Amino acid sequence: MKFTRLFSKTLFATLVTAFCAAGSAFAQVNLEEGKEYKKLAKPQPVDVANKVEVIEFFSFGCDHCRAFEPTLQEWQKKMPADVHFKRIPVSFQPAWAGYSKILFTLEALGESDKLAPAVFDAIHKDGKKLNDKEIFYAWAASRGLDVAKVKAAYEGFTTDSKVKRADQAVRTYAVDSVPMLVIDGKFVTAPSMVKNGHAGMPSAIDFLIAKARQEKGK
């Protein structure tokens, strides 16, 4: 009898602990609309219809974006197969326009994910003015890139067109600070909005991806 009573107490304590832990975990990812994320009044079309789109609005010139980069890269490593991720650079000031061209140049060469952290470090740790194209070319050469290909991409019509489209997207989404993330053209969140800042972003993004899937009926 004593053993049964003790076992019951132990089992009860275990269940209570598990329940509380589950409730705590749920609370961490159950975002509050209007506080930790907002829903756009006018949803925007996405690039890939059968996937959930995640956009990061950012700039290499933004130190907050640099601080968020390691967290974002870790999230990308575990990104679900039905998610399409892309970056859109902002040019809040004339000096940042060159940074936008750097992103599209590296994307054209298939080097953006690999070299993004190095670009941030070169600007914010080493003090290199990579928005000066000649300094960027020299830096790109130091990273083993073909400078002729870098110049062709950086100065090409395609890159200029992408910068203009990026500027239009910034206006369309009314981006006023970075980093900012948009999930599936409708949900907006940012490290400044969620609990635990950068550390809270992976679960916040996943929560909004799941919400987007639900609205798609997936």
Side-chain angles (χ1 to χ4, degrees):
M1 181 67 72
K2 289 182 179 179
F3 178 81
T4 302
R5 194 177 296 122
L6 177 61
F7 178 79
S8 298
K9 288 181 178 180
T10 302
L11 179 59
F12 178 77
T14 301
L15 291 173
V16 169
T17 301
F19 179 81
C20 290
S24 175
F26 179 78
Q28 289 176 1
V29 297
N30 191 25
L31 304 189
E32 182 180 345
E33 184 175 352
K35 183 177 180 182
E36 294 166 286
Y37 77 95
K38 63 181 180 180
K39 190 170 184 179
L40 294 176
K42 185 179 180 182
Q44 298 299 312
V46 298
D47 288 348
V48 185
N50 63 341
K51 290 195 174 187
V52 177
E53 182 179 81
V54 175
I55 301 173
E56 183 205 19
F57 284 96
F58 88 112
S59 173
F60 284 125
C62 165
D63 196 43
H64 294 292
C65 299
R66 176 197 169 223
F68 179 53
E69 182 67 15
T71 300
L72 182 64
Q73 291 249 338
E74 284 302 309
W75 175 82
Q76 283 183 271
K77 292 176 184 177
K78 304 171 185 176
M79 188 173 71
D82 68 335
V83 173
H84 171 65
F85 174 78
K86 70 176 184 178
R87 298 179 192 258
I88 296 181
V90 306
S91 300
F92 288 157
Q93 49 187 291
W96 284 13
Y99 298 138
S100 296
K101 297 189 75 170
I102 288 175
L103 172 70
F104 294 127
T105 296
L106 294 180
E107 283 187 346
L109 299 176
E111 298 283 353
S112 60
D113 288 340
K114 176 184 174 183
L115 291 181
V119 174
F120 277 119
D121 285 348
I123 295 167
H124 298 280
K125 289 179 66 177
D126 303 332
K128 293 184 181 294
K129 296 182 179 180
L130 295 191
N131 52 350
D132 180 316
K133 66 180 183 180
E134 297 302 330
I135 294 176
F136 170 62
Y137 295 157
W139 177 86
S142 75
R143 305 298 301 191
L145 300 183
D146 185 322
V147 177
K149 291 181 179 179
V150 170
K151 288 183 177 181
Y154 188 97
E155 299 176 14
F157 173 78
T158 298
T159 292
D160 286 340
S161 296
K162 287 183 176 181
V163 170
K164 290 177 182 178
R165 288 200 295 273
D167 291 343
Q168 179 58 53
V170 169
R171 292 190 290 270
T172 298
Y173 284 97
V175 180
D176 58 6
S177 65
V178 289
M180 184 183 103
L181 283 95
V182 179
I183 288 77
D184 217 37
K186 62 183 71 171
F187 304 119
V188 178
T189 191
S192 60
M193 297 172 69
V194 304
K195 295 175 183 177
N196 301 321
H198 296 163
M201 283 301 292
S203 59
I205 297 169
D206 290 342
F207 172 87
L208 293 173
I209 287 172
K211 192 171 182 64
R213 285 194 193 107
Q214 186 178 35
E215 293 198 0
K216 287 174 177 287
K218 297 177 69 173

